[in-house]
Every structure is written in structure tokens, then in C-alpha cells.
Amino acid sequence: MDFGFTVEDETFRAEAREWLAAHADGAPDRRTWERTLGKAGWIGLGWPEPGYGNRTATLTQQVAWAEEYARSSAPPRSGHIGENLLAPTLLAHGTDDQKSRFLPPIAAGEELWCQGYSEPGAGSDLAGVRTTAVREPQGAYYRVTGQKIWTSLAHEADWCFVLARTEPGSRRHHGLSFLLVPMDQPGRIEARPIRQMTGTSDFNEVFFDGARARVEDVVGGEGDGWRVAMSLLGFERGVSTLAQQIGFAQELGRVVRTAVETGAVRDPVVRERLVRQWAELRTMRWNALRTLGSSGEPGAPSVAKLLWSGWHQRLGELAMQVRGAQAVVGPSHWSPSAPYELDAFQHMFLFSRADTIYGGSDQIQRTIIAERVLGLPREPKADRADKG
């Protein structure tokens, strides 16, 4: 792939930068912001098909948009799960009716989605799903019963795509289906926020107690959920990885400035760590661009996840080191009568502890690389069960 940007790309970048500068500041709330993005056509740039209210863009233009968004003061996205995960999955496996029903509201920022994959007791073993979906006698609906956990933004979402077991007695990846479930079902669905050690609650545990999902909202057909779910995971890390790296670069810049202000940069060990963080971030960028230009390179998402998760954890540790003793106490405005608030470095350090776990733990990523890329023997099933 040619890593350079064309004149057309830079024109597109300038348009994106100007639009963000005019609209990003003062966005009232995240849901309203999604509608603002949708009205301007900025949702769904990477979809290969236009006509759902989205504009389309080349791969390099998508990179330009993601980078400019990360550099702007725009709020964090609430609609990325629907836009970047569900929408490509529907485009690949959905029926025409499913595309017509669900893609326009995603492009408009009107309907937000969450992902119902992980379950308590299953760890990173997605094939260990126990949530069931039983078809009603009338045949028009499934009844979904079970629990999902670590469900990002479930407390805000309108819909959830759920991996559930539709074949009684089935095991592992057999007998699973990919269902689209409306979240507005009082008494049948409950989302409980999980308080993290950062004090925030972006994740949730979700309880399904006979929640209803329409039969026509099964993606890929009954029993084919594993194939659809694996296809979705292939969309999980793409252009957004480059936007993430812009955020990382901003965090690294703040760490470097703090090291200069505190004098920590005079320590040769600290200087070496700062340079290493910078060099590794540049390497991750070139690797991300290289894999974006390839077609389905095996193991690429797992390699990228291993690289950035460890890198970000080390940056959090370095941020604490350059702050010195001040890193372990509250901000200067803290008082016993006010709630404790973390500053940016403390939040980064604590949240990054989870980087090597969520989205597929490091152990799982290494297993994928070993088995699917290097062709090494698979782990014995007994060992896999113990590690679930």
C-alpha cells in the first residue's frame, strides 16, 4: 500500500477538519452529537454501499477522518459499535430487509447498539455461550434468557446483537445464532452498570429474562451464529486503530511535557523509556497502515491488539513515574467534602490495567496467532476448559 495521501485525500481532510472545528465544541450530549454526525453524513464512511444516508470514502480518506476526529475536541463516540461492527456484518450477512431496517437509523445516529458476547464464567471463551433463545410456539419470536457481561454502553443502547444458543443440547460453536434484540423491554432486560476502579461505569452486566427477538432479526440464519460472530470480530480493528493511535500520541506528548516540567527527563532510564514509547508508537502506525492495505491478513487484528495493549499499559506506568510522589495523591482541588476525582494520568494508569484483558486477553491473542498463523498444534480441550 502507498502510505501517502493524495491531493483529494488532503482536500477531504481539510473539509473534515473545518467541519469538526465548527461543530465539535459545545456538543450538548453524546446522543445529540451522534445525530449531528449523521445529519452531515459522517457516519458510515467505510461502508461499501451508499444510499443509507451515509457518504462513502476511500480507505485513506477514512484514515484522514479518523485522525482529524481524534485530534479534535469532539466527544467520544456512542455509535461506533453499530457503525463499525454491526453495519459491516449486516452488509456481509444480512438480508435486504435487515439492511433497509437497521442501516439508515445507524447512519442517522438515531439508534445506538451494544454487543452481547461475553458471559460470566466463560472468560474469553466465546464458544462457551450459555444464553439461550427458544422459539415461541407461534414461531414469530425467540425468548432470550441469560446473562452477558462487560457490555459497553448497554445502559445507553437501543439494541443489542446477541450471540445465543438456539439448538437445545448443542455444544461449543454449534447451535448458536446471532440475534438482534431491542433493549427497551422493561421487566425482560436489565442493564446494571459495573463500577470500575476509575470511578466510571462504561461497562455493564445485562440480564435477559425472556426478552423477545423477532425471527426475521436473526442474521445469517438460525444455527449460523458462530460464522457471523467471527466475521464481526474481523471488523473490530481497522481504521479506528489509527484514530486510537492519535489519542495515544497526545497522551505520550503530555507525559513528555510532564517529564520535562518535573525534571524526570534528566534520568537516563526515563529518557530511554520515553524514546522507546515514541518509536514503538511509530512502528504500530506503520504496521496498521500496512495491514489496512492488505486483504484479510491472518492474525493481523491479534498482533495489533497485543502491540497496543502492552504499549498503553507501559505508558500509564511511565506517566506515574514522571509525576513522582504527586501521582499517588488527589488533584490540588481535592477536599474531604468533595468527591475524589482522578486526574488524566491517574485515570490512564488505572484504566490501562484492563487493556490486556478486554477485547480478547493477551493469552487468547497469542493462541490465535500460534494456531491460525504459525500452524502450531491446538491446545488440548481439557486445557482450554480450565482456562475458560
Side-chain angles (χ1 to χ4, degrees):
M1 177 182 178
D2 182 1
F3 294 148
F5 292 94
T6 66
V7 173
E8 291 77 11
D9 294 337
E10 294 303 337
T11 300
F12 182 89
R13 181 189 296 275
E15 179 189 357
R17 184 186 303 123
E18 292 172 4
W19 188 90
L20 287 165
H23 294 85
D25 287 334
D29 59 75
R30 288 167 64 169
R31 185 175 282 268
T32 301
W33 174 242
E34 290 295 323
R35 296 191 184 104
T36 302
L37 289 169
K39 187 176 180 179
W42 292 112
I43 299 176
L45 295 179
W47 301 355
E49 301 176 17
Y52 298 107
N54 61 306
R55 56 170 107 183
T56 58
T58 65
L59 184 59
T60 48
Q61 288 168 352
Q62 294 169 47
V63 171
W65 163 257
E67 290 180 338
E68 292 307 315
Y69 192 97
R71 292 188 180 104
S72 74
S73 58
R77 292 289 309 279
S78 293
H80 63 280
I81 296 175
E83 177 187 8
N84 298 320
L85 296 183
L86 179 66
T89 302
L90 289 179
L91 288 166
H93 304 286
T95 65
D96 290 340
D97 286 344
Q98 288 170 345
K99 295 175 188 178
S100 298
R101 164 60 186 87
F102 294 108
L103 292 181
I106 293 175
E110 295 289 344
E111 290 183 349
L112 304 181
W113 286 79
C114 61
Q115 175 176 331
Y117 273 17
S118 299
E119 295 188 4
S124 295
D125 183 11
L126 187 56
V129 165
R130 296 179 181 177
T131 295
T132 61
V134 179
R135 196 157 179 173
E136 293 181 345
Q138 296 83 356
Y141 290 89
Y142 288 95
R143 291 280 188 171
V144 182
T145 302
Q147 181 183 354
K148 299 293 183 178
I149 199 165
W150 310 123
T151 310
S152 301
L153 303 177
H155 57 298
E156 299 180 11
D158 303 295
W159 288 80
C160 181
F161 50 90
V162 177
L163 190 63
R165 199 165 293 282
T166 50
E167 180 183 332
S170 61
R171 294 175 56 83
R172 305 299 297 164
H173 58 275
H174 302 288
L176 298 173
S177 296
F178 189 101
L179 295 88
L180 309 180
V181 182
M183 292 291 287
D184 186 15
Q185 300 189 49
R188 294 174 177 169
I189 299 180
E190 180 184 2
R192 298 179 187 172
I194 299 173
R195 183 176 176 85
Q196 301 146 217
M197 59 183 176
T198 56
T200 55
S201 301
D202 296 323
F203 303 115
N204 301 262
E205 51 183 346
V206 182
F207 298 86
F208 298 91
D209 186 11
R212 304 181 86 194
R214 299 190 310 167
V215 170
E216 54 262 43
D217 290 341
V218 174
V219 180
E222 184 176 296
D224 204 21
W226 183 256
R227 181 176 68 92
V228 177
M230 292 301 99
S231 175
L232 181 142
L233 293 177
F235 299 122
E236 191 169 14
R237 301 179 184 104
V239 172
S240 59
T241 299
L242 290 158
Q244 179 189 52
Q245 291 171 10
I246 296 295
F248 287 168
Q250 293 170 338
E251 290 179 333
L252 176 58
R254 289 193 289 269
V255 172
V256 171
R257 290 191 295 272
T258 301
V260 173
E261 293 167 359
T262 63
V265 74
R266 292 193 292 270
D267 184 334
V269 174
V270 171
R271 288 201 304 273
E272 190 275 337
R273 290 188 66 185
L274 290 170
V275 171
R276 180 176 292 274
Q277 291 289 138
W278 177 87
E280 289 177 349
L281 183 58
R282 296 299 297 174
T283 301
M284 285 193 290
R285 173 176 171 78
W286 292 120
N287 183 64
L289 287 168
R290 178 182 63 83
T291 54
L292 279 177
S294 64
S295 55
E297 185 170 327
S302 294
V303 171
K305 176 63 166 57
L306 281 172
L307 288 173
W308 73 253
S309 60
W311 183 92
H312 199 224
Q313 278 192 350
R314 294 191 295 275
L315 183 66
E317 295 163 0
L318 185 56
M320 296 294 97
Q321 182 178 357
V322 302
R323 283 279 302 280
Q326 184 64 30
V328 299
V329 300
S332 59
H333 64 271
W334 181 89
S335 70
S337 61
Y340 183 81
E341 293 184 5
L342 299 172
D343 63 30
F345 281 4
Q346 292 167 334
H347 184 278
M348 174 173 58
F349 171 73
L350 292 176
F351 191 87
S352 65
R353 296 299 88 196
D355 284 348
T356 53
I357 301 174
Y358 71 82
S361 68
D362 277 12
Q363 180 185 22
I364 295 297
Q365 305 304 335
R366 291 190 177 99
T367 298
I368 291 172
I369 294 169
E371 295 179 355
R372 301 181 189 177
V373 180
L374 301 179
L376 299 179
R378 295 175 63 85
E379 292 185 63
K381 290 185 178 181
D383 291 345
R384 287 173 179 265
D386 291 341
K387 294 173 183 176

